[in-house]
Amino acid sequence: MAKKLSRDHELITYHRPKSPFAEAYRTLRTNLGFASVDHSYRSILVSSTSPQDGKSTTIANLAVTLAQAGNRVMLLDCDLRKPVLHHIFKVDNHRGVTNCLMHQVTIEEVAHEGVVENLTLVTSGPIPPNPAEMLGSERTRSLWPALLEKYDYVLIDAPPVLAVADASILASQVDGVILVVRYAATRYDLAKKAKEQLLNANANIIGVVLNQFKMEAKEYQYYYYYSRDSSSDTSSLKL
Ligand SMILES: Nc1ncnc2c1ncn2[C@@H]1O[C@H](COP(=O)(O)OP(=O)(O)OP(=O)(O)O)[C@@H](O)[C@H]1O
Ligand SMILES: [Mg+2]
């Protein structure tokens, strides 16, 4: 049984699955499917150039959308500096990724199963003094193949690329990276720098998500015509 969730604006795919915003995440899921024609992209990292671009919001909603399509999904909070997935999904963060990396527990022991049907969440756990070192360890590298035996998708939240090395370290370990770009905020030169940094780390950049795009009212009505849901409080939402 799925838990009752709040923070509606962040987990829009769960609370408002018929909204145009949820539809945008389904388009992302579809595009991920198209990208996977030649390569298998099952372990995926989401990052961006700078703080607050919407990485965690994007990966949480992508995880819900993939789970809603019947995929077995594991979402891990590997932002070991400013973790938020436990807030978005309203679960505790006493133990998580860091405990597992320190060999204190198995991943199964700290997993929050069924936060949404088909979706298992592993929160960050306590914030360590040496996140980059932990994320570059053999223990971390060996986690992904083991998880991919059990899950169709393993999604990883990470800090911004340009701020710390963590995202680049993780990017080299996964099948693909999605870069979030914030509408009217992300600087072109910084996005280019982040891309170069990821490519230098041997990352496979699958694509870019344009977040917080401000849709014109008339475009919005057009989309909503096909998918009206019960609530009308949508004016403050941006995607
Ligand atoms: N599409 C969106 N529409 C409205 N608000 C959004 C959207 N995406 C993100 N936000 C809001 O922007 C803020 C930052 O989002 P989020 O935590 O996902 O960013 P982040 O890139 O993960 O940040 P950090 O760098 O701190 O990890 C949050 O308050 C979130 O609710
Ligand atoms: Mg975040």
Side-chain angles (χ1 to χ4, degrees), residues 7 11 24 26 28-29 32 38 66-67 106 119 124 129 161 163 167 199 213 225:
R7 293 174 76 128
L11 218 48
R26 284 194 288 276
L28 176 60
R29 180 183 71 199
L32 188 60
D38 283 333
L66 285 166
T106 63
L119 174 57
S124 68
V161 176
L199 293 180
F213 177 72
Y225 176 77

Side-chain angles (χ1 to χ4, degrees), residues 9-10 51-57 82 211-212 238-239:
H9 75 288
E10 282 176 340
Q52 299 289 293
D53 286 331
K55 298 174 285 296
S56 303
T57 308
K82 276 180 64 186
N211 194 33
Q212 303 214 29
K238 303 166 278 172
L239 190 79

